[in-house]
């Protein structure tokens, strides 16, 4: 399942009201709602949060050695740009949490964000998100990383909503090692945005005003935006950006 959520803090609820106001203004003016979409790992933050989470878990001896080896082999294949099963590797990471209550695991992931990820959030991402928000855009983060990590970031940074990868919860309220739906990566990012925006605003009543990504798997998303930005891009994305005239940013 795609996660489209807000945090539960007072600040997040105020931002939700701000988002609703943006929607109402755009709808009332007969204008399409403008979306400004940001990737998370490597774009909004320095580094890759699932990789950092694996290190965090290994340090605490929460992953079996056999699981760590399989994750490392997956990472090697990924670095060689070989086709990979994104849901499979996320399931491996979540063996650390299998059978544990969702609330307990979410709190653990919130602490992981606070201790490891929070300091990695790009100041430029903050500034850019804030600017789009002030211009009346709905600011969104779309990411393959785990939902609680992005929800925690949303409590501290100026984006209105998020679509991220959610892990399946068993009937007894404990986490499984299965992804609930599809991982939000590659072309699925754009598909998920379409499902969200069509449901919320109506087909044809929104536009992808801007998109920011760092990885060649973000090309589908960037190609669909009115304004595309490659943030510290990998070599394939840098070549694509040069070919299409996309703006390259050094954050």
């Amino acid at each position: 399942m795609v996660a489209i959520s807000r945090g539960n803090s007072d600040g997040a609820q105020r931002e939700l009201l701000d988002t609703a106001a943006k929607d109402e203004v755009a709808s009332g003016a007969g204008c399409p709602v403008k979306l400004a979409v940001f990737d998370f790992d490597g774009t909004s933050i320095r580094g890759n949060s699932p990789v950092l989470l694996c290190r965090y878990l290994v340090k605490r001896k929460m992953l079996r050695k056999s699981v760590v080896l399989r994750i490392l082999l997956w990472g090697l294949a990924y670095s060689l740009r070989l086709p990979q099963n994104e849901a499979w590797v996320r399931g491996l990471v979540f063996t650390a949490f299998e059978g544990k209550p969702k609330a307990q695991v979410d709190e653990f992931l919130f602490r992981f964000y606070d201790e490891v990820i929070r300091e990695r959030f790009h100041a430029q991402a903050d500034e850019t998100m804030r600017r789009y928000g002030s211009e009346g855009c709905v600011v969104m983060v779309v990411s393959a990383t785990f939902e609680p990590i992005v929800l925690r970031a949303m409590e501290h940074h100026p984006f209105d909503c998020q679509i991220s990868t959610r892990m399946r919860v068993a009937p007894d309220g404990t986490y499984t090692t299965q992804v609930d739906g599809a991982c939000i990566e590659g072309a699925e990012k754009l598909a998920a945005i379409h499902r969200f925006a069509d449901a919320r605003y109506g087909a044809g009543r929104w536009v992808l005003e801007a998109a920011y990504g760092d990885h060649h798997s973000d090309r589908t998303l960037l190609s669909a935006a009115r304004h595309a930005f490659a943030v510290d891009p990998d070599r394939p994305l840098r070549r694509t950006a040069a070919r299409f005239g996309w703006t390259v940013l050094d954050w």
Side-chain angles (χ1 to χ4, degrees), residues 2-16:
V2 173
I4 305 167
S5 311
R6 292 294 314 170
N8 294 321
S9 68
D10 291 341
Q13 297 210 7
R14 284 195 298 271
E15 289 172 9
L16 181 57

Side-chain angles (χ1 to χ4, degrees), residues 18 33 36 48 50 70 129 139-140 154 156 170-171 223 229 233 236 243 247:
D18 291 343
V33 175
N48 183 291
R70 283 185 285 171
M129 290 176 179
V139 182
M140 177 186 298
M154 190 160 51
H156 301 285
S223 295
F229 299 86
R243 185 162 67 249
T247 301

Side-chain angles (χ1 to χ4, degrees), residues 97-103 105 167-176:
F97 306 123
E98 185 177 14
K100 295 182 180 179
K102 180 181 183 299
V105 174
M167 300 303 289
R168 186 169 297 166
V169 178
D172 65 357
T174 61
Y175 268 120
T176 71

Side-chain angles (χ1 to χ4, degrees), residues 168-187:
R168 186 169 297 166
V169 178
D172 65 357
T174 61
Y175 268 120
T176 71
T177 60
Q178 298 177 313
V179 173
D180 194 349
C183 285
I184 310 303
E185 57 88 27

Side-chain angles (χ1 to χ4, degrees), residues 42-43 122 212-214 229-234 237 247-251:
T43 303
H122 284 299
Y212 290 72
D214 71 299
F229 299 86
V231 179
D232 300 326
D234 62 10
L237 182 57
T247 301
V248 175
L249 300 173
D250 180 12
W251 282 0

Side-chain angles (χ1 to χ4, degrees), residues 14-15 28 31 79 88 92 116 121 129 133 153 170 186 195 227 244:
R14 284 195 298 271
E15 289 172 9
C31 301
S79 68
W88 178 78
L92 287 178
V116 179
F121 209 97
M129 290 176 179
R195 291 193 296 270
H227 305 284
F244 290 103

